[in-house]
Amino acid sequence: MAPHTYFSGQPLPVAKMAASLSRPVQSVDHHPKLFHSLQQERNSVLSLAADDDSIYTGSQDGQISVWDKSTFKLTAVLRGHTGSILALEYAPDKHWLFSASGDSTIRVWNTRTHTPLYLVHPHLETDSGDLFSLVWCAPLQTIYVGCQNTSLQWFSFSIPTLEHASFGLSLPSDGALRSGTSTPTSTATSRKAHKFFDSYPQYTRRPADLDARNPTCASCLPSSVSASSTSNTLPSASASGLITPPNDGCVQGDRIKAPLAVLQVPPECVAFSAHYGYVYCMALLPSNREGSDDVYHEDARDGSLQLVTGSGDSTVKLWQLPNGGSQDAAPKLLHTFDCSVGAVLALAVRGDTVYAGCQDGLVKVWDLETRTLVRRLFVVENVDILSMTMLHSDLFVCSANGDIQRWSGAFDLVGSWRGHEGIILSSIVTHVPVTDSAEEQNSEKFTLVTGGNDDMIKVWEVAPPRSDKHALSELSRFNNTTDISKSINDILVYALTKFVGIPSVSNSPAHKEDCRQAAIWLRKCFTQLGAEASLLPTGETTNPLVLATFHGTRTAPHRPRVLFYGHYDVIPARPAGWTSDPFVLAGRNGYLYGRGATDNKGPIMAVACAAADLLARRALGADLVMLVEGEEEAGSGGFADAVRRHKDAIGHIDSILVSNSTWIAEDTPCITYGLRGVVHCNVEIANDGPDLHSGVDGGAAREPMLDMVKLLGTLTDESNRVAIPDFYDRVRPLTEEERQLYKVLSSVTQTPASLLAARWREPSLTVHNVEVSGPRNSTVIPSKVRAHISVRIVPDQDLESIAASVQEHIRDQFRRMKSPNKLNVTIDQTADWWLGSLDDPWFHALESAVKDEWGVDPLRIREGGSIPSVPYLEKEFSCHALHLPLGQSTDQAHLPDERISLSNLRRGKRVVERFLANVASTPAPSPVQQDPS
């Protein structure tokens, strides 16, 4: 092989991109600088690996080239395999390089000396076929191998395992054999007998062995093996440890060094039929690859290690690896993901996300927590994806047409270029040393290394994503539970900063992945604060629930269970009107500004930190179950079904706590005890014709817009009361106690009591918008008109009856118009009203907690808005709900410069602590009696 190098130049023109569902990004044509090129003449680059000093390239001719990272010169060639090098894996803890080949062997090399250490034969040897994939698991000291015969095999290099192996070797981590343990053998460079190619004629009834001298294979044997073939003893190595290769060209170059020992995968270390196809690719979770920002732990005793495998059977399988005490134990299959479209040829992982590169040009993105498909990336239609690699949150995808694409963590295509004039077969991300001549300091930069069948190895200069503010972030500064109570306020603000930094806008397709990342981050945050947390799927198109339980003192005879409901999704935040970036938490004049600060991310973190503080002080006498959804701002799609489906996991609940509103003033704390319900209704009037010109057809056609105006006018009377028949019949009358309460609130807010009552306890009807077909030009008669209306309901109006009466009234009034146009009325969303019990002991426990913290009696208020999940949860768990507002009336929820007072946030946390302490000593309440009607 004659290697050549080319100094950096420009990459080839940008490749044509396939259609994608990603957001349009202005820098989509951006491509990185080509840092260096290497060439292997007439030698495809099938596999890549790298350590601190070198880049290793596995080639089609069975050799491994070693390139110096500083000079990009070829420094060594590792020989021994007789088949293509299909996979390379570097073990940094041992300074070992594993190579897997089409000759059905795994070889282990010392990367410091570039000498062979071990030769590993898979179980069934050549019957395992080509060995396509490798993964090294340092905590288990185990290499995992994906095989052509559909098996998953593994071999442990732990010293106890090797000491009890059948060959009696005792092998330390440096690869050197201890004196007196065994004699190294030279059979590493030989083959084992193949039952077909080394067979005798059938009539001889002799088992296959190397003495068969099959001419197809004999020419490939080293002379030392041929010379010893008449003996039953294994040949020993020469004094130099080298074997002279034959002159027939089957093995190139100089003499081949013999490994120290030959090892065999035992039958108990095989998962037969792990897939129903070749096992093409594997990845370890959490990722230990260079370029990954996963938190990788060397200790495997917590059972957190998992293996992902991809196969030609179109599936991705998730395996649980054994803990540190049982290296030889078999991986346990946890789940199978069906990609349904061709072979899975490449895998990449980050956190709880698996990227599967498929044969049809798709990358399928799977969430491991909820086991759902969260995205499909259309790379290049019907072009195989053969290699993928991660750089922090960004994914590099290499295709068989020579294209390279870069996708952001939000699934945006941010770069695409032609990388090779041929098929890209392998890729890795690694550091290369860079000398800063100006400051004479050495630094490192990330590079993407790609190899193809054009005999080229290309080194691309790449940078991590510019902003990692949306990345998953661990609360690493607060991992020690004993320190939490001392710095809990720091945790509260720090966590809220990270939480607000994730733009989890639920009603925007562009932020779909941000919502999922927010759920993943929140689950990890709850776990670090001391809870048992998980994600619950709500459907393929909706965001998952986060379920977390902070367990109280286990020895308590009675441990009440409080369910906190919140939502991690937010509404959009257009930059106009904001003083600072809405997704960067900013502190000004005692307030924290950012989208979601008060609705609802701030209260969520306050409640979680309250439980964490009590846990740290061994003072949590109740179980706090946190149920946080990601669709509240978009109608809570899938919420009710998911709660019913996972009700056993949530467990028994004694009371529900919500914090999703604000005070009615600035300085006086409040408790909300009532919410109005809502019915959202769409009304459409249309004809079968096209839009018309008013100058041509005005007056000649019955216009849908005029019908709509007349129809909407029938919904209210001259006094602005709802004109639907029997609408007010079941409205609960105003009591004297309420009247006095409104007088008190009126004096505090300087708002007339009648206005407060109209906002909180009286029903209402609102026309939100009217939309038309066509260009909305003043000369156009639209053929279709749509209006959106909502009706707010109060106790004791029946939700279903009101929804039905609204539709019936609209249809009846339209029939009276005798219009030739067509009417369509639909109910979009509904939410029932909610009214808390002021005599409930749980309400008194909360009221007492607020009074003890603030030194004043809290105001008892109601809200005119609706939270669909509150009345639903009350009915589902047969218990009362409580609503604790933390924000002030000027918090600007849903508006620019949304904020929350830092004092309110911290004192709100202390109120929750007091409440949990109070309910721990409160007798269990009797279940809420449901209305049989």
Side-chain angles (χ1 to χ4, degrees):
M1 178 177 64
H4 300 280
T5 64
Y6 294 88
F7 290 99
S8 58
Q10 293 302 317
L12 295 162
V14 177
K16 182 179 180 181
M17 294 168 291
S20 173
L21 297 180
S22 70
R23 286 173 283 179
V25 179
Q26 293 181 352
S27 59
V28 74
D29 290 339
H30 170 73
H31 50 69
K33 175 184 177 183
L34 182 60
F35 188 65
H36 215 91
S37 295
L38 310 170
Q39 184 177 15
Q40 297 181 159
E41 290 186 354
R42 300 181 300 280
N43 220 340
S44 297
V45 182
L46 304 180
S47 52
L48 288 164
D51 59 17
D52 292 339
D53 303 315
S54 303
I55 296 172
Y56 302 89
T57 61
S59 58
Q60 195 172 8
D61 64 358
Q63 300 186 87
I64 303 169
S65 300
V66 185
W67 305 85
D68 186 273
K69 277 188 175 181
S70 299
T71 64
F72 290 101
K73 296 292 186 180
L74 184 67
T75 58
V77 177
L78 310 182
R79 298 182 176 92
H81 284 291
T82 58
S84 300
I85 310 299
L86 302 177
L88 292 172
E89 177 78 354
Y90 176 59
D93 57 315
K94 288 185 171 295
H95 301 286
W96 287 0
L97 177 70
F98 292 89
S99 57
S101 172
D103 63 8
S104 299
T105 64
I106 303 119
R107 291 180 180 263
V108 188
W109 311 83
N110 187 321
T111 57
R112 290 172 171 171
T113 61
H114 297 153
T115 55
L117 295 175
Y118 312 121
L119 171 65
V120 183
H121 288 281
H123 181 61
L124 300 180
E125 300 169 8
T126 54
D127 283 352
S128 295
D130 294 347
L131 308 183
F132 288 111
S133 50
L134 293 170
V135 161
W136 170 251
C137 180
L140 302 181
Q141 294 292 284
T142 300
I143 187 72
Y144 291 88
V145 188
C147 305
Q148 185 179 13
N149 71 343
T150 76
S151 69
L152 172 64
Q153 304 190 24
W154 58 95
F155 187 88
S156 174
F157 285 84
S158 63
I159 292 178
T161 300
L162 292 180
E163 285 178 344
H164 293 87
S166 60
F167 44 82
L169 294 178
S170 178
L171 303 173
S173 61
D174 60 3
L177 290 173
R178 297 289 183 258
S179 175
T181 56
S182 68
T183 303
T185 173
S186 65
T187 58
T189 55
S190 70
R191 297 178 298 101
K192 291 201 172 184
H194 192 283
K195 66 180 181 180
F196 176 78
F197 292 110
D198 295 313
S199 62
Y200 289 91
Q202 188 173 9
Y203 68 86
T204 64
R205 300 184 179 277
R206 291 183 59 182
D209 60 38
L210 296 178
D211 292 336
R213 302 187 61 81
N214 189 307
T216 303
C217 296
S219 62
C220 296
L221 295 179
S223 58
S224 59
V225 177
S226 299
S228 63
S229 62
T230 58
S231 172
N232 292 327
T233 60
L234 295 173
S236 60
S238 63
S240 63
L242 303 177
I243 297 175
T244 304
N247 295 323
D248 62 2
C250 288
V251 180
Q252 292 188 24
D254 301 329
R255 295 177 299 172
I256 302 174
K257 294 184 179 181
L260 298 176
V262 179
L263 311 175
Q264 180 83 44
V265 174
E268 61 269 18
C269 292
V270 181
F272 295 98
S273 299
H275 284 268
Y276 293 108
Y278 302 167
V279 184
Y280 283 121
C281 46
M282 295 193 293
L284 189 67
L285 285 164
S287 176
N288 59 351
R289 301 291 187 191
E290 198 173 359
S292 170
D293 58 355
D294 280 359
V295 179
Y296 183 74
H297 302 285
E298 294 294 336
D299 188 359
R301 289 175 296 180
D302 60 355
S304 62
L305 292 171
Q306 295 176 325
L307 183 71
V308 182
T309 57
S311 169
D313 62 3
S314 302
T315 66
V316 174
K317 294 193 175 184
L318 176 65
W319 308 80
Q320 179 68 56
L321 297 185
N323 59 39
S326 55
Q327 289 92 337
D328 289 333
K332 178 183 177 182
L333 180 62
L334 298 179
H335 192 74
T336 299
F337 303 92
D338 187 4
C339 293
S340 302
V341 280
V344 178
L345 303 176
L347 286 172
V349 297
R350 179 178 185 251
D352 292 315
T353 305
V354 171
Y355 301 83
C358 301
Q359 198 170 16
D360 60 354
L362 280 180
V363 175
K364 295 205 168 184
V365 187
W366 298 94
D367 181 85
L368 297 183
E369 186 76 20
T370 61
R371 312 285 169 84
T372 55
L373 179 68
V374 296
R375 197 64 177 261
R376 295 176 179 88
L377 306 182
F378 294 88
V379 180
V380 182
E381 188 174 2
N382 296 323
V383 176
D384 294 353
I385 296 170
L386 299 177
S387 181
M388 299 190 301
T389 190
M390 300 293 302
L391 177 55
H392 294 187
S393 61
D394 283 13
L395 174 72
F396 291 94
V397 182
C398 301
S399 304
N401 63 351
D403 288 357
I404 304 173
Q405 292 186 4
R406 180 171 182 166
W407 296 77
S408 74
F411 305 137
D412 295 325
L413 181 60
V414 295
S416 179
W417 68 99
R418 177 59 52 84
H420 288 257
E421 288 292 352
I423 301 173
I424 302 180
L425 299 167
S426 53
S427 64
I428 57 170
V429 166
T430 186
H431 286 90
V432 295
V434 177
T435 301
D436 189 339
S437 58
E439 300 180 6
E440 295 186 354
Q441 292 181 348
N442 290 331
S443 60
E444 290 184 327
K445 67 171 65 177
F446 279 110
T447 58
L448 171 69
V449 184
T450 57
N453 72 342
D454 57 357
D455 307 339
M456 298 297 296
I457 304 139
K458 296 193 176 183
V459 184
W460 309 91
E461 188 176 316
V462 293
R466 291 183 179 179
S467 173
D468 284 332
K469 71 177 182 179
H470 301 158
L472 301 182
S473 181
E474 304 292 338
L475 303 179
S476 56
R477 295 189 296 148
F478 309 105
N479 278 339
N480 189 341
T481 304
T482 59
D483 294 332
I484 284 184
S485 61
K486 299 178 181 178
S487 55
I488 195 70
N489 285 331
D490 292 334
I491 293 179
L492 176 56
V493 177
Y494 175 75
L496 184 57
T497 301
K498 298 296 182 182
F499 201 10
V500 169
I502 307 175
S504 47
V505 182
S506 57
N507 56 9
S508 170
H511 291 287
K512 182 71 175 176
E513 175 61 11
D514 292 318
C515 291
R516 191 177 71 91
Q517 293 296 337
I520 293 172
W521 180 91
L522 190 59
R523 191 263 299 168
K524 291 186 175 183
C525 176
F526 286 160
T527 300
Q528 290 188 335
L529 290 175
E532 293 181 2
S534 61
L535 298 186
L536 307 179
T538 60
E540 289 191 3
T541 60
T542 50
N543 298 315
L545 299 175
V546 182
L547 174 65
T549 303
F550 291 88
H551 292 284
T553 305
R554 309 274 179 151
T555 57
H558 167 66
R559 196 167 73 242
R561 291 173 59 81
V562 178
L563 173 68
F564 172 82
Y565 164 80
H567 65 93
Y568 61 81
D569 63 318
V570 298
I571 70 164
R574 295 179 178 84
W578 284 86
T579 306
S580 55
D581 188 335
F583 295 109
V584 176
L585 194 68
R588 297 192 299 272
N589 301 323
Y591 289 89
L592 301 176
Y593 290 82
R595 176 59 84 219
T598 194
D599 181 21
N600 185 234
K601 294 182 176 182
I604 288 172
M605 295 316 307
V607 173
C609 288
D613 199 355
L614 291 173
L615 270 179
R617 293 188 273 114
R618 310 296 189 268
L620 183 59
D623 288 351
L624 177 65
V625 181
M626 301 193 69
L627 188 64
V628 187
E629 71 159 312
E631 293 284 343
E632 195 271 348
E633 303 288 7
S636 295
F639 176 79
D641 290 340
V643 170
R644 280 191 291 268
R645 198 165 52 246
H646 299 283
K647 196 171 180 180
D648 289 342
I650 297 171
H652 170 75
I653 298 298
D654 295 308
S655 184
I656 299 162
L657 178 65
V658 182
S659 181
N660 196 19
S661 62
T662 59
W663 299 349
I664 60 170
E666 289 295 289
D667 304 318
T668 308
C670 304
I671 295 180
T672 301
Y673 71 93
L675 297 168
R676 294 195 292 187
V678 68
V679 175
H680 287 282
C681 179
N682 283 317
V683 182
E684 181 180 286
I685 300 176
N687 58 39
D688 294 331
D691 297 334
L692 301 175
H693 192 290
S694 63
V696 177
D697 296 292
R702 184 70 178 258
E703 299 183 15
M705 176 63 82
L706 294 178
D707 284 351
M708 180 65 76
V709 172
K710 294 175 184 177
L711 186 61
L712 295 179
T714 68
L715 296 176
T716 57
D717 60 18
E718 298 80 3
S719 302
N720 202 34
R721 287 174 61 85
V722 179
I724 297 172
D726 305 324
F727 185 77
Y728 291 95
D729 287 359
R730 296 188 61 179
V731 176
R732 186 177 298 184
L734 181 67
T735 64
E736 184 59 32
E737 183 181 2
E738 282 185 284
R739 199 184 308 277
Q740 296 302 320
L741 176 60
Y742 284 124
K743 287 183 179 180
V744 173
L745 296 175
S746 178
S747 64
V748 173
T749 62
Q750 300 301 308
T751 303
S754 60
L755 188 56
L756 292 176
R759 290 174 177 173
W760 295 349
R761 70 167 330 276
E762 295 295 332
S764 65
L765 185 146
T766 302
V767 178
H768 296 281
N769 55 63
V770 177
E771 299 176 349
V772 298
S773 60
R776 300 184 182 182
N777 190 285
S778 59
T779 63
V780 174
I781 300 174
S783 62
K784 182 186 297 183
V785 181
R786 175 180 294 179
H788 182 79
I789 66 174
S790 71
V791 178
R792 299 285 172 173
I793 64 173
V794 297
D796 291 305
Q797 290 177 304
D798 181 70
L799 177 63
E800 294 183 2
S801 297
I802 293 296
S805 64
V806 168
Q807 295 180 85
E808 182 56 34
H809 174 80
I810 293 174
R811 293 190 182 108
D812 182 61
Q813 293 298 316
F814 186 76
R815 280 194 297 268
R816 294 184 183 185
M817 294 180 187
K818 298 181 179 180
S819 171
N821 296 319
K822 296 178 181 179
L823 171 72
N824 184 36
V825 184
T826 58
I827 300 298
D828 229 7
Q829 298 173 10
T830 61
D832 214 345
W833 53 265
W834 168 74
L835 193 65
S837 173
L838 301 183
D839 297 325
D840 186 68
W842 296 80
F843 182 87
H844 292 308
L846 181 60
E847 198 170 43
S848 174
V850 174
K851 181 178 179 179
D852 290 344
E853 175 61 34
W854 290 94
V856 296
D857 287 322
L859 299 175
R860 298 176 175 184
I861 65 172
R862 289 167 70 168
E863 288 278 348
S866 308
I867 304 178
S869 301
V870 173
Y872 164 74
L873 290 172
E874 241 189 13
K875 295 176 182 178
E876 188 68 34
F877 291 98
S878 300
C879 61
H880 287 301
L882 308 165
H883 197 160
L884 173 67
L886 293 190
Q888 297 169 324
S889 60
T890 57
D891 275 1
Q892 298 282 94
H894 286 206
L895 300 174
D897 275 351
E898 178 181 345
R899 68 182 189 177
I900 192 169
S901 164
L902 184 57
S903 174
N904 276 43
L905 192 66
R906 289 174 170 168
R907 298 188 76 171
K909 180 190 79 70
R910 293 198 292 268
V911 168
V912 175
E913 291 178 30
R914 295 177 187 272
F915 168 69
L916 292 174
N918 290 345
V919 301
S921 58
T922 300
S926 58
V928 174
Q929 297 298 319
Q930 299 296 320
D931 186 352
S933 61

